[in-house]
Amino acid sequence: MNIYDKAHDLAKALKESKEVEEITSAMKLIETDPEAKKMLDDLRERQMEVQQRMMSGDMPPQEEMEKMEKLFEVLSLNLNIRRLFDAERRLSVIIEDVNKIIADSLQDLYGSSL
C-alpha cells in the first residue's frame, strides 16, 4: 500500500464531495452579485489579518472581534453567502474528522499525547 496514492485518492474524494460541489456552486452565485462578493472579500481579508495578528501573538481587541462577528452575521443574511458558510463548515468538519482518524491511528506509536 502506497500512502501517497491513498492521499491522492482522499484528495480526489474531497474534490468530488457534495460539500465542495456546494462551495463551488455558492461561489458561482456570489460572483454574480458584486455587492455580496465585495462584502465576502472584505470579510475574508479581515479574517486573514486577524489570523496573522494572532499567529504573531498579537490578540485583537474584543471590540474588533465583535465587529467581525457582526459582519459575519450580516453576511449570513445573504442566502448564497450563508449557503457558502454552511458548506465550508461541513467541509471543515470532514477535514477535522480525517485528521483525527489519522492522529488516532498513530496513537499507539506516540502514546496518548496526540
Side-chain angles (χ1 to χ4, degrees), residues 16-76:
E16 294 172 354
S17 71
K18 180 178 73 167
E19 290 76 14
V20 169
E21 287 178 16
E22 289 177 11
I23 289 169
T24 302
S25 176
M27 285 301 297
K28 285 179 183 175
L29 290 171
I30 292 167
E31 292 287 333
T32 66
D33 182 348
E35 185 178 328
K37 175 149 178 26
K38 182 176 179 349
M39 290 189 323
L40 180 63
D41 288 346
D42 182 47
L43 175 69
R44 298 289 196 213
E45 187 175 321
R46 285 180 165 189
Q47 285 176 322
M48 192 173 304
E49 289 171 6
V50 167
Q51 287 175 342
Q52 288 174 346
R53 286 177 62 186
M54 291 172 76
M55 287 172 50
S56 68
D58 179 20
M59 289 302 291
Q62 182 65 29
E63 178 181 292
E64 188 173 340
M65 297 304 288
E66 289 171 3
K67 282 183 183 178
M68 290 284 296
E69 184 63 32
K70 283 187 184 0
L71 180 57
F72 181 82
E73 289 173 11
V74 168
L75 284 173
S76 293

Side-chain angles (χ1 to χ4, degrees), residues 74-88:
V74 168
L75 284 173
S76 293
L77 295 174
N78 179 298
L79 295 179
N80 292 325
I81 292 176
R82 184 172 351 143
R83 183 176 161 204
L84 173 68
F85 289 163
D86 290 344
E88 286 177 337

Side-chain angles (χ1 to χ4, degrees), residues 86-99:
D86 290 344
E88 286 177 337
R89 192 172 15 261
R90 288 191 306 276
L91 181 61
S92 178
V93 168
I94 290 170
I95 292 169
E96 288 175 24
D97 289 347
V98 168
N99 283 333

